[in-house]
Amino acid sequence: MQAIDMDEFGGPEVLVACEVAAPQLRPHDLLVRNAAIGVNRADILQRKGAFGRANFGDSELMGLEIAGTVEAVGAQVQGFAVGDRVMGIVGGGSYAELSRIDHRMAMKVPDQLTLIEAGAIAEVFVTAHEAMFHLARLQPGESVLIHAAGGGVGSAAVQLAHAAGARVFATASADKHDAVRGCGADVCIDYRSQDFQAVVAEQTAGKGVDVVIDFIGPSYLERNVRSLAVGGRMVVVGLLGGPAPAPMPLDVLLYRHLQIFGTVMKSRPPEVKQAMVQRFAQRWLGALADGTIRPVIDSTYALADAAAAHRRMESGRNVGKILLLPEAGKG
């Protein structure tokens, strides 16, 4: 089968198309012919060497999410059959025509969605749900500040927060504001020209927001903490700004009774990722079926053009998900 591999760490050019053997089916696995493959920030980090050569248990190939059609099922699989349309999260190996996925991390694709649309769901929506609802416990009527709201996880988080009845503050570059408002943001903040802490203070009469979902890290830390209301919760999902030390206003943390969480999916044990997928599915699959929430696709590329897809993500211009399509470009 065709796949994307690399012989060394580096820029997008190290990603090359090659022929590899199909993955071997294990007792709990589904073998899926991929129709759409999500590109994620973790793929960029892996390509650059941030994770070493760790394969996280499933494959030496990169890639964390798929949507496609089941071609075979393992002996201990329950609830899935050959021919089912599925989407979900894998422990590596999605940059290929075929992938194996533990059936406990797979979800059936609602009839109303295409498989290409389904390829833009699992990683971003599961991550957003885990951060906002499982960890931060966002409630209807509360307010949330979501950074990097034009990206894959950010745009998913905006939709989920809006659907849950929260007031949504969102940071993004001005050119992405229309798209972010379309996802349900109430207040859009241009991070290039506005101070989000000042906007939150003005819009909430100094109270602050109940939840902050942050992808940036050090440069936002102090302002994030000062933007939280009494009893507020912040979840750090990424470190796009780098891992450098940052000042922490401990007096604000202490006297406002704040809570700060960190979450990442790629390196979590399989049973933890299974629980994350199942929590999302139980609450939101119906909303995907009826259109309350929807996948946001920025662009699609042929599998062999994975390098171009990585360049698109690194440019920061994308709104929503970037997908690889194994059948695209074939004669």
Side-chain angles (χ1 to χ4, degrees):
M1 67 174 184
Q2 186 184 61
I4 299 297
D5 203 357
M6 60 183 185
D7 293 326
E8 58 183 344
F9 300 127
E13 69 278 359
V14 304
L15 301 177
V16 294
C18 59
E19 290 293 321
V20 302
Q24 293 186 342
L25 200 64
R26 299 165 301 191
H28 287 283
D29 284 340
L30 308 172
L31 182 66
V32 177
R33 180 160 296 278
N34 297 330
I37 301 157
V39 176
N40 290 283
R41 186 67 56 178
D43 304 340
I44 306 293
L45 296 174
Q46 183 173 349
R47 193 200 74 220
K48 292 180 175 180
F51 305 127
R53 290 297 294 177
N55 61 24
F56 296 90
D58 273 9
S59 176
E60 291 291 341
L61 302 175
M62 70 170 57
L64 299 176
E65 66 180 321
I66 60 170
T69 304
V70 176
E71 292 204 343
V73 299
Q76 297 181 34
V77 167
Q78 297 180 358
F80 294 91
V82 172
D84 283 347
R85 302 190 318 145
V86 298
M87 59 187 177
I89 294 166
V90 299
S94 73
Y95 279 32
E97 292 181 296
L98 294 166
S99 296
R100 63 184 182 187
I101 179 172
D102 188 304
H103 75 281
R104 293 162 293 190
M105 288 192 283
M107 299 171 279
K108 291 184 179 178
V109 176
D111 292 340
Q112 296 82 357
L113 297 176
T114 68
L115 284 175
I116 292 176
E117 290 172 325
I121 292 171
E123 182 79 13
V124 293
F125 278 98
V126 170
T127 299
H129 174 265
E130 190 73 7
M132 281 197 304
F133 299 102
H134 184 64
L135 294 176
R137 309 180 305 282
L138 182 68
Q139 300 297 314
E142 290 190 324
S143 55
V144 56
L145 170 63
I146 299 169
H147 291 298
V153 182
S155 59
V158 170
Q159 289 193 66
L160 295 182
H162 175 75
R167 185 185 186 197
V168 182
F169 293 76
T171 67
S173 56
D175 58 302
K176 297 182 180 181
H177 282 191
D178 286 345
V180 173
R181 286 192 187 93
C183 289
D186 298 290
V187 180
C188 287
I189 304 166
D190 182 358
Y191 72 88
R192 293 172 174 165
S193 64
Q194 295 177 282
D195 179 349
F196 68 80
Q197 181 187 342
V199 174
V200 167
E202 178 185 3
Q203 291 288 326
T204 64
K207 173 180 177 291
V209 294
D210 300 291
V211 172
V212 171
I213 304 297
D214 182 49
F215 303 87
I216 309 303
S219 62
Y220 279 17
L221 178 59
E222 183 172 3
R223 285 183 291 161
N224 279 337
V225 171
R226 295 188 184 279
S227 295
L228 283 167
V230 173
R233 294 85 68 193
M234 180 171 78
V235 183
V236 179
V237 184
L239 296 172
L240 292 176
M248 164 65 78
L250 290 177
D251 56 333
V252 179
L253 180 72
L254 180 67
Y255 292 113
R256 292 191 192 172
H257 309 283
L258 306 181
Q259 294 178 298
I260 299 177
F261 304 88
T263 186
V264 67
M265 184 181 295
K266 183 178 176 67
S267 57
R268 303 294 286 278
E271 60 273 14
V272 174
K273 290 191 279 190
Q274 292 163 17
M276 293 168 70
V277 171
Q278 291 161 16
R279 281 192 287 266
F280 167 78
Q282 289 168 6
R283 179 161 182 177
W284 294 108
L285 277 186
L288 280 166
D290 67 20
T292 299
I293 59 175
R294 56 183 174 79
V296 178
I297 297 173
D298 172 80
S299 50
T300 62
Y301 295 83
L303 177 60
D305 293 332
H310 277 220
R311 291 188 186 98
R312 174 68 179 174
M313 176 166 280
E314 289 182 296
S315 75
R317 297 194 301 269
N318 62 296
V319 176
K321 288 292 293 189
I322 299 168
L323 301 177
L324 301 176
L325 308 182
E327 292 300 316
K330 289 189 175 182

